[in-house]
Amino acid sequence: MTNSALPAIVTRFAPSPTGHLHIGGARTAIFCWLLARHHGGRFVLRIEDTDMERSRQEYTDSILASMRWLGLDHDGDPVYQRQRFDLYNEAIDQLLAGGHAYWCRCSPDEVETMREKARGEGRKPRYDGRCRDMGLAAGPGRVVRLKAPLSGRIVFEDMVKGHIAVEASELDDMVLRKADGSPTYNLAVVVDDIAMGISHVLRGDDHVNNTPRQILIYRALGADLPLFGHVPMILGPDRQKLSKRHGAKAVIEYEKDGLLPEALVNYLVRLGWSHGDQELFSLEDLVRLFDGKNLNSAASAFDPEKLMWVNAQHLRGQSPEALLPRLLPFLAEAGVPATDEPLMARCIPLVQPRANSLTEMAAQLRPLLTPAKDLIYDEAALARAMTPEGREHVRALRTTLGALVDFDRESLHACLHGYVEQRALKFKAVAPPLRVALLGSAGGPDLADAMAALGKSEALARLDKALQL
Ligand code: GLU
């Protein structure tokens, strides 16, 4: 087969809307999206909402919002399984008509008894096939089962796990249509994956045991198989099942915490895929490099500290102009004045090297963006630094700085150093009072940088205010 005859790459993400999008699901979605984008294929979204009790619209909305935030755009409208029961029933009818499926009248209790019996005899618990050749018709309480092959092997090459083979005798005749008329998960997934032209089914390895069963449905429907790939679960740092206690959150929480979506994408991709030992990737890098190979078959552990580190690196790589609009909601949330755009653009580089998230950045910008008249001083820091001697330094510096013509960082550096050297002082005698007078607390960016960013009149106004306290 020549390349041009190869089927187009179509991947899908198929969340069940029974909760918010968590990092495991997000990583699966990212892999599927990257694979499609890398090959110029399609990425489609299917909402698996057949569980009427647990599925909720608010979760669908939240999953869609998280995907939008992550930048995982899907092709075409999302497909809702709930709207496709006709399609599933048609497939079931086709299987019945072709002799690949049959009606079964065994009650759940009877099936449970068969399972018990098998367990008791040391065999795999399974349905014993008693209705298989009875030629039963539809009827209340009846289910439809697949007439699975009794011998042979089901074999597939998993994109992640490699060669997988299962004896057909291991699998029983699975239910395709439940007694209430709804399709089972395995039936609906296969019918949809065929109808949607999915070429690569990449999903969590909690589904790997479903795949041989799904392959039987593909065969019975006479459809070609897609490629399957099952990515290992993300574990907690203690190698246990990942949960909240490990600091793992829903994607919307990370958005609220001020992570950059591209950083979360970068971190999550690296949890199951590698490109040499490179740690930092832009979205463009990932689209270019991610070809579905080099997926780890071993489970990786979630590390919240590394996630923050990756986020900090992405924050540092942004231009202040690009960060500014992304910071606005966080400044608003924190009640930090955010109207003076040139001032913000000057101050952002000062906090960029010190903040790990947009939330931290907004907090660190507060003393810089709050005008002198509203600046709140940390009482303890003020008391510590504004000793009579400290106050004298601030007063003297106020005069010296007031006489400066150029108020850029070089001139300010020279001015501060000149002040210290002339008086044979240590910088640490002068910096703390100046800092608290200027920014309201201990800690923060370089003083010359801060003053240059604030501008002369604002910097002097702050010193004046502190001297009056
Ligand atoms: N809806 C399933 C889940 O959320 C995914 C099914 C699949 O990817 O085949 O786990």
Side-chain angles (χ1 to χ4, degrees), residues 12 14-16 46 48 185 189 193 201-203 206-207 214:
R12 53 37 161 213
S16 305
R46 181 170 74 231
E48 302 207 320
Y185 156 73
V189 163
D193 283 341
V201 171
L202 204 52
R203 60 185 164 200
D206 47 339
H207 288 289
Q214 293 180 8

Side-chain angles (χ1 to χ4, degrees), residues 152-440:
R153 305 177 100 193
I154 302 132
V155 179
F156 66 101
E157 294 302 320
D158 192 280
M159 290 166 66
V160 184
K161 295 178 184 291
H163 188 74
I164 295 186
V166 176
E167 295 299 327
S169 57
E170 297 270 303
L171 308 174
D172 60 3
D173 288 349
M174 82 190 99
V175 175
L176 302 174
R177 182 186 198 268
K178 300 183 211 165
D180 66 4
S182 62
T184 55
Y185 156 73
N186 280 318
L187 184 276
V189 163
V190 173
V191 170
D192 281 335
D193 283 341
I194 296 170
M196 297 165 84
I198 305 301
S199 64
H200 291 67
V201 171
L202 204 52
R203 60 185 164 200
D205 70 0
D206 47 339
H207 288 289
V208 71
N209 291 334
N210 286 319
T211 303
R213 295 173 180 280
Q214 293 180 8
I215 288 175
L216 294 180
I217 303 178
Y218 275 93
R219 283 194 199 157
L221 287 168
D224 291 337
L225 295 183
L227 284 176
F228 293 98
H230 293 90
V231 289
M233 301 283 97
I234 302 174
L235 301 177
D238 54 1
R239 315 285 308 166
Q240 301 297 309
K241 191 174 183 298
L242 186 64
S243 73
K244 280 207 175 102
R245 84 194 144 85
H246 295 119
K249 300 176 189 173
V251 170
I252 40 167
E253 299 285 324
Y254 289 116
E255 181 179 1
K256 285 191 201 126
D257 287 353
L259 263 73
L260 296 176
E262 63 269 36
L264 187 56
V265 167
N266 180 163
Y267 176 73
L268 290 178
V269 169
R270 276 291 291 111
L271 268 188
W273 171 85
S274 54
H275 177 70
D277 47 18
Q278 189 174 336
E279 290 290 359
L280 298 172
F281 298 86
S282 68
L283 222 45
E284 294 73 37
D285 290 339
L286 290 172
V287 169
R288 185 167 43 80
L289 296 168
F290 188 92
D291 56 5
K293 300 194 183 86
N294 300 321
L295 286 162
N296 302 346
S297 58
S300 25
F302 176 70
D303 177 352
E305 278 176 26
K306 179 150 177 215
L307 170 58
M308 290 318 279
W309 177 81
V310 171
N311 197 57
Q313 308 315 307
H314 278 268
L315 277 178
R316 274 153 223 178
Q318 296 260 316
S319 71
E321 292 72 24
L323 270 180
L324 203 153
R326 308 181 81 169
L327 265 166
L328 290 178
F330 293 89
L331 292 168
E333 171 79 22
V336 176
T339 45
D340 187 340
E341 290 203 2
L343 172 66
M344 285 190 272
R346 292 196 303 273
C347 292
I348 288 172
L350 273 54
V351 297
Q352 243 175 321
R354 325 163 66 89
N356 291 325
S357 67
L358 292 169
T359 324
E360 282 183 23
M361 213 175 246
Q364 294 179 18
L365 282 169
R366 181 192 299 281
L368 290 160
L369 300 184
T370 306
K373 66 176 174 44
D374 300 325
L375 191 67
I376 295 174
Y377 288 87
D378 171 345
E379 292 294 337
L382 204 58
R384 247 192 331 272
M386 287 296 245
T387 56
E389 188 199 336
R391 180 174 288 274
E392 260 331 295
H393 288 313
V394 174
R395 197 186 306 283
L397 277 165
R398 162 70 178 88
T399 311
T400 316
L401 291 165
L404 270 186
V405 179
D406 293 324
F407 214 73
D408 54 48
R409 65 187 298 272
E410 287 72 29
S411 314
L412 286 160
H413 262 295
C415 171
L416 293 182
H417 282 281
Y419 178 87
V420 168
E421 275 156 27
Q422 271 167 23
R423 291 168 180 72
L425 294 164
K426 289 240 157 59
F427 204 66
K428 68 172 192 274
V430 179
L434 180 60
R435 177 176 295 284
V436 85
L438 204 60
L439 300 170

